[in-house]
Amino acid sequence: MRIATWNVNSITARLPRLLAWLESSGTDVLCLQEAKTTQEQFPAQALSEIGYESAVHATGRWNGVAVLSRIGLADVVRGLPGGPEYEGVAEPRAVAATCGPVRVWSVYVPNGREVGHAHYAYKLRWLDALRGAVARDAVGERPFAVLGDFNIAPADEDVWDRSAFEGATHVTADERDALAALREEGLQDVVPRPLKYDHPFTYWDYRQLGFPKNRGMRIDLVYGNGPFGAAVKDSYVDREERKGKGASDHAPVVVDLDV
DNA sequence: ATGACCCTCAGCGAGGGA
């Protein structure tokens, strides 16, 4: 089976590309982030017409996540159990589902904005809640993975220029410690291969020729448990989808599983 | 060619992204 994660930066704006990509790539399960729409306006009908069921957690212009599956969709959980609120709001940043033999979480980790900002503390609390929420599934026998936009570059080589991120979020020790805590729960970083250049970046800023200059970051991650990792046949970043007019600023990360 | 931000909602800019 083929499973993927993709921050689409508005499913409304991306719908033509999303539908075309689902069909051309042969993806069975897609964890998507930044739907930027409401539950009601989510294009479940258009997706249904090409064979995908949708598990959606979305409330409006910000955030919004979903799991799309053409191999079954069950045991949906909307929202991160025990997750913190930001300014009194429980934001739609996580949704879980079981798709055939695999259970997945689609997550959109808070950005953090600036080190020291209330949003940064929120990001760390959110990640700790994620660790708690996935601990039991992580050690199970069923293939399980958390896929999504983690807004963390796991190592210095996961950004195009470490010096450009001095003092910035996404590269701090606290954020990387949060990823290490997930690994300590039994999850492993399924690192994709790049289709061009030497590093599998997944995000490139829209500004200042970020993509043509390959000024990217690897922040869209797949954290799988042992059975998931053992089933991985291949994984790559589909950078073709970052090209051209109407692209998201993130590319899909694709994982092929032998399950 | 991959090409110099883009998304949404509100409402004719602003907030957020990272």
Side-chain angles (χ1 to χ4, degrees), chain A residues 28-247:
Chain A
D28 296 303
V29 177
L30 175 64
C31 294
L32 77 79
Q33 301 86 36
E34 286 214 86
K36 291 187 169 179
T37 187
T38 60
Q39 196 95 16
E40 295 71 27
Q41 296 189 313
F42 192 91
Q45 180 63 36
L47 290 160
S48 175
E49 285 168 5
I50 63 167
Y52 292 86
E53 296 176 88
S54 302
V56 181
H57 187 36
T59 58
R61 72 186 295 193
W62 305 124
N63 316 304
V65 289
V67 178
L68 312 181
S69 174
R70 64 178 189 184
I71 59 169
L73 195 59
D75 298 324
V76 173
V77 176
R78 292 178 180 82
L80 181 63
E85 296 183 346
Y86 186 68
E87 296 182 341
V89 178
E91 299 175 320
R93 293 180 174 276
V95 62
T98 299
C99 305
V102 178
R103 183 153 182 84
V104 296
W105 276 98
S106 175
V107 301
Y108 178 47
V109 177
N111 171 295
R113 299 187 188 162
E114 296 172 14
V115 176
H117 194 286
H119 208 261
Y120 180 76
Y122 166 58
K123 180 179 194 174
L124 297 177
R125 287 199 306 275
W126 201 94
L127 286 160
D128 190 53
L130 178 64
R131 182 196 54 72
V134 305
R136 182 172 302 190
D137 280 333
V139 297
E141 292 303 310
R142 176 170 58 182
F144 168 79
V146 185
L147 305 92
D149 179 356
F150 281 72
N151 272 316
I152 303 170
D156 284 354
E157 54 265 34
D158 293 315
V159 296
W160 60 277
D161 179 2
R162 181 61 182 80
S163 67
F165 291 84
E166 206 57 52
T169 59
H170 295 60
V171 298
T172 68
D174 284 342
E175 290 165 294
R176 289 173 175 171
D177 285 349
L179 291 181
L182 287 177
R183 293 193 296 272
E184 286 163 15
E185 296 290 350
L187 299 176
Q188 57 188 270
D189 187 350
V190 178
V191 181
R193 61 187 169 86
L195 295 184
K196 189 177 180 183
Y197 304 123
D198 60 355
H199 205 77
F201 295 141
T202 66
Y203 162 86
W204 299 260
D205 199 293
Y206 283 126
R207 293 166 290 189
Q208 298 172 314
L209 292 172
F211 185 59
K213 292 181 177 176
N214 199 32
R215 293 178 173 174
M217 305 171 73
R218 185 172 79 91
I219 55 176
D220 298 274
L221 308 177
V222 177
Y223 265 54
N225 70 353
F228 186 97
V232 174
K233 286 191 300 184
D234 188 20
S235 182
Y236 61 92
V237 181
D238 189 356
R239 70 188 304 283
E240 294 299 311
E241 200 50 48
R242 180 61 179 78
K243 296 180 180 180
K245 197 168 181 61

